[in-house]
Amino acid sequence: MSDLFDAAPAPGHTPLAALLRPGNLDEVIGQSAIVAPGSILRRRIAAGALGSVILYGPPGVGKTSIARAVGDMMGKEFRPLHATRAGVSELRKLADEARIRPLLIFVDEIHRFSATQADDLLSICENGTADVIGATTGNPYHVLPPALVSRSVILRLEPMSIAEMEEVVRRGLAHLAAAGIDVAMTPEQVRLVAGRSGGDARRALTTLESLAVGHPGGAIEITEAMLEEAYAAAPVNHDRSGDQHYDLVSAFVKSMRGSDPDATLYWLARLVHAGEDPRYIARRIMIHASEDVGLADNTALQTAVAAATAVEKIGYPEAQIVLAHAALHVARAPKSGSACRGIGLALQAVASEPPVVVPKHLRDAHYKGAEALGHVGYRFPHDDPRGWTEQDYVPGLQPGRFYQSDARQAGTFEKRADAYWEETSGRPVPRRFGG
């Protein structure tokens, strides 16, 4: 009588993305700057001097595929490790093995290595015991030990273009057809799958596989309903703690600063769609209402503060309207960087120069004995019909050293203030751009 252990276990399912891994760098789709003939990676492979390489980029852009292709091209045994599961003992065993046969050690999520693991890996890199490729989604200069970064070639991989993603999907369709699975997709559907994958080839192939598997024999015609089902619960490709998060936020605030309302709304929509905390977005808008609009339109900060209060009370989905309102105010308002620039210059001076002694006429005089100490001479501006009087507030400080007006042709608050103070004081307001 046979039992469970008489037969060998059935092999597990190999995902389509794994089946389509390139065998060499010529088969890699995208990343042309890294895999092209004459690139630093190609030259190191040709010289047999790969050393330590860090592949850095978002998920699904080919880090593991490139590493495997390099191992095949160099004729080295590929030893994959995952940083969260590989212990120090395993690293040391691989180092011993590498002294006998040529190895390429691949460490996925290398940023998750502990300090002890990183030290052992450093030893392997320094001694040239084995070639090492590490993969990370985080910026190596932020998430890896400086000693490892200094000993490694850092190669940044970019998300694939729509055209490259379409090529990935077509390659997947060709592989399925060769396996007897005929999947019919229109060019528009191919482009939809490519576009919805966010530059992640693995995600595109996983979606294609989900559309193709489990059908009865015959050609499979992909319908709009099937695509809607495949994307009904599709995860959003957004890492709130990684580079992608900061790149999206950077694009958002630079679009506001650049006064492009459409780009502002696009990047805001990307953040909202990704589920970014509306309070975080509101805080960024508040910062840039002062940093980029500032004295050109003081109401921008009022709008941003009101938006921050509103999203606390409302939440999604309606908070997206409030965020758009505030972001568009910042984008459409005239710009002045005088507040941000001025406080930066002042802080730099305070940190690098001897402190200025508070003049006696500006010192506190609200106590008995202040006059005897010489705390006299302050002239109260409101006692002058102009509301202003000439006196020193920081001895020796040249006008315009910290604050230079960014007033331009528009009738902004800063422009009106310049005109008022020039008329009142009889002297020009320092301007960054003259005029």
Side-chain angles (χ1 to χ4, degrees):
M1 178 176 167
S2 64
D3 62 27
L4 181 64
F5 300 101
D6 286 340
H13 168 71
T14 303
L16 181 60
L19 292 172
L20 287 177
R21 287 198 191 280
N24 56 63
L25 294 182
D26 293 329
E27 296 177 5
V28 173
I29 297 174
Q31 314 308 333
S32 57
I34 291 174
V35 304
S39 67
I40 188 170
L41 183 60
R42 291 271 195 175
R43 297 199 310 272
R44 282 185 167 269
I45 292 170
L50 185 67
S52 175
V53 174
I54 303 296
L55 301 178
Y56 149 48
V61 295
K63 296 187 290 294
T64 305
S65 296
I66 288 174
R68 287 186 177 275
V70 169
D72 289 343
M73 292 173 70
M74 297 185 73
K76 297 197 171 189
E77 295 192 33
F78 189 80
R79 292 288 187 271
L81 298 175
H82 194 285
T84 59
R85 296 189 290 270
V88 171
S89 61
E90 188 171 356
L91 275 171
R92 292 174 182 172
K93 286 179 183 176
L94 283 176
D96 291 338
E97 184 183 356
R99 295 183 182 96
I100 303 170
R101 62 178 63 87
L103 298 184
L104 173 60
I105 300 173
F106 174 68
V107 185
D108 197 11
E109 296 197 54
I110 193 171
H111 57 279
R112 296 183 182 273
F113 257 176
S114 68
T116 307
Q117 290 170 304
D119 285 344
D120 276 270
L121 189 65
L122 270 173
S123 176
I124 292 173
C125 297
E126 285 181 334
N127 298 331
T129 307
D131 290 326
V132 176
I133 296 181
T136 178
T137 55
N139 188 323
Y141 296 97
H142 298 160
V143 300
L144 296 182
L148 182 57
V149 171
S150 70
R151 290 163 175 78
S152 303
V153 175
I154 309 294
L155 300 177
R156 177 164 186 166
L157 282 67
E158 299 290 347
M160 294 187 193
S161 68
I162 294 293
E164 290 166 345
M165 291 299 302
E166 288 179 322
E167 186 179 348
V168 169
V169 176
R170 287 193 293 268
R171 186 178 289 186
L173 289 170
H175 181 89
L176 291 171
I181 304 172
D182 187 12
V183 180
M185 293 182 73
T186 66
E188 292 75 17
Q189 290 173 334
V190 170
R191 188 168 184 83
L192 174 66
V193 172
R196 288 291 297 269
S197 300
D200 184 335
R202 183 168 52 238
R203 190 174 174 191
L205 292 172
T206 300
T207 300
L208 176 60
E209 188 174 18
S210 297
L211 292 167
V213 299
H215 295 280
I220 302 164
E221 184 175 349
I222 304 301
T223 65
E224 299 306 310
M226 292 166 66
L227 286 167
E228 287 181 15
E229 181 187 15
Y231 287 112
V236 176
N237 189 16
H238 180 65
D239 176 7
R240 295 190 201 175
S241 62
D243 271 11
Q244 188 181 47
H245 162 84
Y246 294 108
D247 287 346
L248 282 179
V249 172
S250 177
F252 171 57
V253 300
K254 286 172 181 172
S255 298
M256 288 194 294
R257 180 183 297 134
S259 304
D260 187 326
D262 293 301
T264 295
L265 289 174
Y266 174 78
W267 295 117
L268 174 61
R270 285 279 298 270
L271 290 166
V272 170
H273 181 66
E276 187 61 69
D277 187 338
R279 297 170 299 179
Y280 173 82
I281 300 174
R283 288 196 297 271
R284 298 307 309 177
I285 296 172
M286 279 196 290
I287 292 166
H288 289 275
S290 278
E291 181 177 336
D292 296 318
V293 177
L295 294 173
D297 179 1
N298 291 311
T299 65
L301 181 57
Q302 297 170 17
T303 301
V305 172
T309 301
V311 300
E312 287 272 8
K313 298 179 181 297
I314 297 170
Y316 285 139
E318 290 85 356
Q320 65 198 34
I321 305 169
V322 178
L323 293 170
H325 176 176
L328 284 172
H329 189 154
V330 173
R332 297 290 290 150
K335 302 299 187 289
S336 170
S338 59
C340 178
R341 183 176 61 251
I343 188 61
L345 291 170
L347 285 169
Q348 183 180 11
V350 167
S352 61
E353 300 172 9
V356 174
V357 177
V358 177
K360 286 187 176 182
H361 68 282
L362 296 184
R363 295 181 189 178
D364 182 18
H366 289 84
Y367 60 91
K368 188 176 180 180
E371 186 174 349
L373 293 173
H375 297 189
V376 294
Y378 175 64
R379 297 192 294 276
F380 197 54
H382 297 299
D383 289 341
D384 189 291
R386 301 169 298 174
W388 173 83
T389 183
E390 182 88 42
Q391 62 187 325
D392 260 348
Y393 292 96
V394 179
L397 183 64
Q398 294 299 311
R401 181 177 176 192
F402 302 140
Y403 172 74
Q404 305 101 31
S405 171
D406 270 353
R408 299 174 177 90
Q409 285 72 32
T412 63
F413 169 83
E414 199 160 27
K415 181 78 168 180
R416 297 193 303 272
D418 285 358
Y420 173 81
W421 287 113
E422 286 180 349
E423 182 180 356
T424 300
S425 68
R427 59 190 193 204
V429 172
R431 291 189 177 88
R432 188 179 185 204
F433 300 106

